[in-house]
Amino acid sequence: MIRSGPVRLIAALLASALVIPAVPALASREVKLEVLSSRADLVTGGDALVHVAVPDADDQVRITLNGDDVSAAFTPNGTGLTGLVRGLRLGPNTLRAEADGQRTTLELRNHPRQGPVFSGPHEQPFVCETAKFTIPVIGGTLGAPLDRDCTVAPRVDYFYRTTAGKFAPWPRGATSYPADLATTGSGDPFVVRMETGSANRAVVQSTMLHDPLREPAPTPTRRSTTWNGKAIFTLGGGCAGGWYRSGSTTGGVTDAVLLSRGYALLSSSLNVFGQNCNDLTAAESAMTTKELFVEHYGRPDFTIGFGCSGGSYQAHQITDNYPGIFDGIVVGCSFPEVGFGTVSFISDAWLLNSYFDRSGLAWTQEQKRQVSGFQTYATLPAMAVSANRIDPRQNCAIVPPDLRYDPVTNPGGARCDVFDHTVNAYGADPATGFARRPLDNVGIQYGLKVLRSGGITPAQFLDLNQRVGGFDPDANLVPARTVADPQAVRAAYRTGRLTNGGGGLKDVPIIDYRAYADTNPNGDIHVRYHTFSLRARLQKANGTAANHVSLLEDSTYGGFSTASPLLRHAVDAMDRWLTQLTADSTSRPRIEKIVAARPAGLVEGCRVPGSTEFVAQPLDRDPASRCERLFPSASFPREVAGAGVAADVIKCKLRTPERSEYPGFTDAQWEKLQAIFPEGVCDWSKPGVGQEPLAGTWISFPS
């Protein structure tokens, strides 16, 4: 780390010269330019943190931006020259560095700080909630926004941990430590610097340990001595209500456990899915939030994506589709993604629950549970409620009434559902103006495995599949099955709206921590099979899931709390995993590096409820295993209908049913089955209709 005295001397030298002497630590053989804060083609806000490497320590370096000398912005920092280049114009910019007769150029493409960058046109309307955004620990709100893009005035606040185990605002103008100041595990004063700003129409925040009484404010070339150099990006959960709003909280930047370990925490209000249920906007917000952090504090050694439920949607989809934002992820109460692993699951629950409510046949509660596949019956009606995220009229409370969609009074209003929220990826149906929908249940034989096991009668099976129905574009229940738009299906596969696993996820360590919820007596959406869905997709896409480790325990500590020793172990293990992986400079395949870098102490398994005993064994749904007996993984409606656990078929291919597959059916029942499925039944042995790999990563949607 550069000390303050030499930095002041360097600054004085820079003020008197436009060429910079390189420093002895430089060892590059050619002039190189690198943008540290983002990809060079995805710069935002008119500035970028840039690093210059030069051939020799004695070389003089000159750096220009669009022909103007910007050398004075650069500081030797032991590994080269680093500087925050300002004044980028929108669109392409040319950065040039010259040293020892060598010259290199780099094009920087600048985008507005408020976006969009790659996510496509901004959704409208959009409600700024900065006046509702309460500043953590400090109190008060951010007040009215400065503009229509929800921009807030940048600010820096300090707070500290008390000996009573609470956070308190740092005394204004303090010149000595408060009497009740606690220390971290390493003995440093537990004082936290918190920065608040704006990016991509969101409020962004970051925190890190920093003692303002001992050292000057940190910069990209002068780190806080108490920051461990690593970052954790917190990703907030939810989905319902996440429409057309800037949000009034971030994913959380005040976790005492993580801060005490020295991590910087960063997040944004659009990385809370309860405020923005759109993975594209979440990815863009994560990118711009990290960019702003790097511009102010320098590039972290690595960044861990960290989130539960809706946070896991983000971690999986951002990492797979926009690799490089996160270097590893720790997820909890996880789902593969928001649009399919979740939506198909809850919409099926809605259909089944509605059918059971109106069925004229006698169904026992146990039969209903078996058809759903869930571990407890209560999960079925609970999931039916969660399915309102496909209804364009629900979750619209933040939108002014006169701007909300109504099929009669305001058919052109804002539709608050997951599909219209992601219209930039799916496209609009020209016939309706609504987002094309990839929702489909044609050919699905609900309850098939229960029929074959004798758990339900042919009459029940046939009545269920004849009357289960589907949804119209407004999520009204209708007699006909739901038919997916083929363009939406293709877009979902090609653009990663259905997590493929073969993009960036194949190149990062993944720890899936799950607090078991399958037997929640009130029902719970966070059922365990979703972990296996993601793992199955990794296996299908890459031939291995060796980079995926699962940890399981009961819900003693809630869904995803660092109060859990097992979750703290996951964070510590991810740190060691990434540290060793980063140090591996060999040329062997990435997956081999990941496997070799995995810490010996990170083993898959479960904690026995009511004890500290950890059972180390693969979590693979083996019914004979101890962990499976302690925490049964159960199933879900489409697996009961014959689908694989990967849950990656949006629309199944159809085949003609065979009479031999339905023993005990009378001729009349066989004829009825054929009438219910005139086009055929799902052939789960084949890829789905339109199923194909990712078209690539870092896909940009036209603005």
Side-chain angles (χ1 to χ4, degrees), residues 204-226:
V204 302
Q205 289 190 306
S206 64
T207 52
M208 65 170 59
L209 293 175
H210 177 254
D211 185 349
L213 300 185
R214 290 199 313 191
E215 56 185 347
T219 71
T221 55
R222 185 181 61 230
R223 286 184 171 181
S224 169
T225 57
T226 44

Side-chain angles (χ1 to χ4, degrees), residues 632-664:
S633 54
S635 187
F636 56 102
R638 296 201 179 191
E639 189 176 38
V640 176
V645 73
D648 60 349
V649 172
I650 299 171
K651 181 177 179 63
C652 68
K653 289 180 179 174
L654 302 176
R655 65 173 179 83
T656 302
E658 297 181 13
R659 179 74 183 262
S660 61
E661 298 171 342
Y662 305 89

Side-chain angles (χ1 to χ4, degrees), residues 441-461:
N441 70 336
V442 174
I444 295 177
Q445 300 183 82
Y446 292 106
L448 180 63
K449 290 184 178 179
V450 189
L451 168 73
R452 289 178 173 169
S453 69
I456 60 176
T457 66
Q460 288 174 306
F461 172 77

Side-chain angles (χ1 to χ4, degrees), residues 599-650:
L602 177 59
V603 294
E604 190 159 284
C606 65
R607 181 181 66 82
V608 177
S611 76
T612 59
E613 181 187 358
F614 183 80
V615 180
Q617 62 182 206
L619 301 181
D620 54 9
R621 301 179 99 188
D622 179 357
S625 71
R626 188 178 178 193
C627 287
E628 185 67 22
R629 294 197 305 271
L630 289 169
F631 304 102
S633 54
S635 187
F636 56 102
R638 296 201 179 191
E639 189 176 38
V640 176
V645 73
D648 60 349
V649 172
I650 299 171

Side-chain angles (χ1 to χ4, degrees), residues 360-374:
L361 299 182
W363 287 81
T364 67
Q365 185 168 290
E366 175 59 15
Q367 287 176 321
K368 297 175 186 179
R369 185 200 68 78
Q370 289 184 30
V371 168
S372 75
F374 303 139

